[in-house]
Amino acid sequence: MAESRPEKYPAIQGGGSLMIAWQVKGKHVLVIGGGEVAAGRIVHLLNADAVVTVICPSSGLNPEVSYRVAQKQVTHVDRIFLPSDLDDKDWSMVLVAIDDPAASTQIWKLCKQKRLVANIADVPPECDFYFGSVHRDGPLQIMVSTNGKGPRLASMIRRFIAKQLPSNAGRAIEAIGELRAKLRQVAPRPEEGPKRMSWMKDVSDKYSWEEMCEMTDEDMTNLLTFYEPNKVPSFEDLRGMRASAIEAAKADVFDGSFGFSVGV
Amino acid sequence: MAESRPEKYPAIQGGGSLMIAWQVKGKHVLVIGGGEVAAGRIVHLLNADAVVTVICPSSGLNPEVSYRVAQKQVTHVDRIFLPSDLDDKDWSMVLVAIDDPAASTQIWKLCKQKRLVANIADVPPECDFYFGSVHRDGPLQIMVSTNGKGPRLASMIRRFIAKQLPSNAGRAIEAIGELRAKLRQVAPRPEEGPKRMSWMKDVSDKYSWEEMCEMTDEDMTNLLTFYEPNKVPSFEDLRGMRASAIEAAKADVFDGSFGFSVGV
């Protein structure tokens, strides 16, 4: 019979948010308003491949939003919001960033009636979710949230983290994704799945994060030769397999013997 | 006329997710399944103050989920999922973590019919959102996502970040929240809003993140005396105002003169 061993289980720390990576690729998102806040939301949405519609009179668009409209990065509806807009498409979410608290609250209520996910900027009780400060480097995304205690601090922490991360962190993640894909080419049979997974786990465990960041394409090709015997070399050994390292070793031998003959 | 100056606007980098902090405080969340994956989801949900219902036959509960049930941290429904469960409450989201792909897909389809936000574990196309690896320190939450390229790497990066952060980062965020609250007591008038905001901004700009982490309650009380003249002292000057620093300075003066008289 399993004993209850609470010390093994994470202690609950209430007061946080549920941090999630929302999938909006190819989905319709409605942005109501076209000012500075809307401009920031639009960048987040386009970075996540959303199909964005902005409803805002042209006179209310800030230069950045106007630029996105001109570039056809978003669809622009040149008027104020009408309740029927909510039925216009199968919206994945609705983001409101207008300077009209009463209208905002009305839109929030309509969204809730229609079970639409919504965020009314600067009105926490009228938000299904909050935004945070996000660091982006290719496939890597890091969101910092202070749960409303300090948005400026969140940006500060985000910049602090960005400074600490190896500069090629995003590239390293791509590389691991590539290694996994290459491994599936080397060992494509479905029944090898468990061996593939366990070897990838061994690879992750063997190398430090910093070492992974330094891994070249050549290193990966060499590393894959260790899959068959189900081994993972040290990073030093892996680096020693580089053509340049082998050349250097050969040159050392040559220089050494030359030096020796001259010396004698 | 505003010129279009694209270099001023962030370049769009597609392929990411929309990183958000979902608000589930006091809201009902349905977890279908009671294994290891469900156990992890439940911790995230309870940390965000969700009201959690777990549907899973008792025989399928892992020890951690059993413990949460025994502690009444979650409500347990001791049977397999029935479609009518989706109508049972006003679910904020539905998380599925069962070893039955066909049943999972059915639940996903039902959720979409009912416009319910859902996540089917390990089936990316059947997810409105993904989870990431989350660092938590009081009000600070940092989520790392590799957008599916490597969940193990995400944990590795999360641990790397946790190691770099000042150990009292969460406390510093609480402190800034307190400073803002205290400032509203010192200067409560609504018309002071802009001055309060601009002073808080000056405070954020003046001190480094590391200095903010070292700020004591006493430092905050001293700092607030600079709000009226709308100034922000250097961190060194602020530390010099600590009672202990003043005592030490007095002691130095006393020791100095004592030493001098003895010396003569």
Side-chain angles (χ1 to χ4, degrees):
Chain A
M1 204 169 151
E3 268 181 56
S4 153
R5 281 180 297 183
E7 73 280 3
K8 288 190 65 175
Y9 309 135
I12 301 303
Q13 270 196 73
S17 304
L18 188 73
M19 308 286 274
I20 57 180
W22 195 264
Q23 302 306 302
V24 280
K25 185 177 179 172
K27 292 187 189 163
H28 289 285
V29 175
L30 179 59
V31 176
I32 303 171
E36 194 186 336
V37 173
R41 303 295 196 237
I42 290 168
V43 172
H44 285 312
L45 290 168
L46 294 177
N47 280 345
D49 300 320
V51 182
V52 180
T53 299
V54 179
I55 299 184
C56 180
S58 278
S59 59
L61 295 183
N62 90 345
E64 183 173 339
V65 179
S66 291
Y67 169 73
R68 306 282 179 212
V69 170
Q71 295 292 306
K72 296 194 170 39
Q73 295 180 321
V74 301
T75 299
H76 179 217
V77 178
D78 182 5
R79 56 165 172 75
I80 63 160
F81 166 84
L82 299 173
S84 60
D85 290 327
L86 295 183
D87 304 316
D88 195 35
K89 288 212 172 70
D90 185 19
W91 304 113
S92 176
M93 53 171 53
V94 177
L95 308 182
V96 180
I98 54 175
D99 285 330
D100 183 338
S104 293
T105 297
Q106 250 185 322
I107 300 172
W108 166 252
K109 285 180 181 165
L110 284 170
C111 287
K112 289 304 93 189
Q113 278 167 24
K114 293 173 188 290
R115 304 195 65 87
L116 285 167
V117 168
N119 170 290
I120 314 297
D122 289 324
V123 190
E126 297 180 352
C127 283
D128 285 313
F129 61 89
Y130 303 160
F131 286 94
S133 188
V134 178
H135 171 72
R136 174 79 187 273
D137 180 6
L140 175 64
Q141 286 183 294
I142 299 171
M143 167 167 60
V144 178
S145 168
T146 58
N147 281 287
K149 297 270 177 180
R152 290 183 64 82
L153 262 178
S155 316
M156 202 184 277
I157 297 168
R158 194 237 320 138
R159 287 193 301 268
F160 174 87
I161 291 171
K163 233 176 22 188
Q164 309 291 323
L165 285 174
S167 61
N168 44 356
R171 171 66 203 133
I173 293 164
E174 295 276 16
I176 288 289
E178 282 166 30
L179 183 67
R180 189 176 284 114
K182 283 180 181 177
L183 178 58
R184 273 192 297 260
Q185 291 177 342
V186 171
R189 291 180 306 151
E191 56 269 39
E192 293 222 44
K195 187 185 170 190
R196 281 198 306 262
M197 275 182 62
S198 112
W199 188 75
M200 282 302 300
K201 180 183 172 308
D202 290 348
V203 167
S204 299
D205 290 344
K206 184 88 174 194
Y207 307 126
S208 72
W209 163 240
E210 291 86 351
E211 285 170 343
M212 282 196 182
C213 286
E214 287 175 35
M215 203 173 284
T216 64
D217 274 354
E218 187 186 5
D219 292 336
M220 271 194 272
T221 305
N222 291 333
L223 179 54
L224 284 168
T225 64
F226 290 85
Y227 169 74
E228 186 52 44
N230 204 9
K231 288 193 173 140
V232 180
S234 74
F235 194 67
E236 212 162 42
D237 287 349
L238 193 61
R239 264 194 299 213
M241 293 174 73
R242 288 180 188 173
S244 59
I246 292 168
E247 280 306 309
K250 275 188 198 156
D252 271 359
V253 170
F254 178 75
D255 284 357
S257 43
F258 182 75
F260 182 74
S261 40
V262 167
V264 169
Chain B
M1 205 168 145
E3 269 180 55
S4 153
R5 280 181 297 182
E7 73 281 3
K8 287 190 67 175
Y9 310 134
I12 301 305
Q13 270 195 72
S17 303
L18 189 74
M19 309 286 276
I20 58 179
W22 196 263
Q23 302 305 303
V24 280
K25 185 176 180 174
K27 293 186 190 163
H28 290 284
V29 175
L30 179 59
V31 176
I32 302 172
E36 195 185 334
V37 173
R41 304 296 197 236
I42 290 167
V43 172
H44 284 312
L45 290 169
L46 294 177
N47 281 346
D49 299 320
V51 182
V52 181
T53 298
V54 179
I55 299 185
C56 181
S58 279
S59 58
L61 295 183
N62 90 345
E64 182 173 338
V65 180
S66 292
Y67 168 73
R68 306 282 179 212
V69 170
Q71 295 291 307
K72 297 193 168 41
Q73 294 180 320
V74 301
T75 299
H76 179 217
V77 178
D78 182 4
R79 57 166 170 75
I80 63 161
F81 166 82
L82 299 173
S84 61
D85 289 326
L86 296 183
D87 304 316
D88 195 35
K89 288 211 171 69
D90 185 20
W91 304 115
S92 175
M93 52 172 54
V94 177
L95 308 182
V96 180
I98 54 176
D99 286 329
D100 185 336
S104 293
T105 297
Q106 250 185 323
I107 300 172
W108 166 252
K109 286 180 181 166
L110 284 169
C111 287
K112 290 302 92 188
Q113 279 168 24
K114 291 173 190 291
R115 303 195 65 88
L116 285 167
V117 168
N119 170 290
I120 314 297
D122 290 324
V123 190
E126 298 180 351
C127 283
D128 286 314
F129 62 89
Y130 302 160
F131 286 94
S133 188
V134 179
H135 171 72
R136 175 78 188 272
D137 180 7
L140 176 65
Q141 285 182 294
I142 298 170
M143 167 166 61
V144 179
S145 168
T146 59
N147 281 287
K149 298 269 178 181
R152 291 183 64 83
L153 262 178
S155 316
M156 201 185 277
I157 298 169
R158 194 239 316 139
R159 286 193 301 269
F160 174 87
I161 291 171
K163 232 176 24 189
Q164 309 291 324
L165 286 173
S167 61
N168 44 357
R171 170 65 203 132
I173 294 164
E174 295 277 15
I176 288 289
E178 281 165 30
L179 183 66
R180 189 176 281 116
K182 281 179 182 177
L183 177 58
R184 273 192 297 260
Q185 289 176 344
V186 171
R189 292 180 307 151
E191 56 269 40
E192 295 222 43
K195 186 184 170 191
R196 279 198 307 261
M197 275 182 61
S198 112
W199 188 75
M200 282 302 299
K201 180 183 173 309
D202 291 347
V203 167
S204 299
D205 290 344
K206 184 89 176 193
Y207 307 128
S208 73
W209 164 239
E210 292 85 350
E211 285 171 343
M212 282 194 181
C213 286
E214 287 175 35
M215 204 174 283
T216 64
D217 274 355
E218 187 186 4
D219 292 336
M220 272 194 270
T221 305
N222 291 332
L223 179 54
L224 283 167
T225 63
F226 289 84
Y227 168 74
E228 185 53 43
N230 203 10
K231 288 193 174 142
V232 180
S234 74
F235 193 68
E236 211 163 43
D237 286 350
L238 193 62
R239 263 194 300 214
M241 292 174 73
R242 288 180 188 172
S244 58
I246 292 168
E247 281 306 310
K250 274 190 199 154
D252 270 358
V253 170
F254 179 74
D255 283 359
S257 46
F258 183 74
F260 182 74
S261 41
V262 168
V264 169

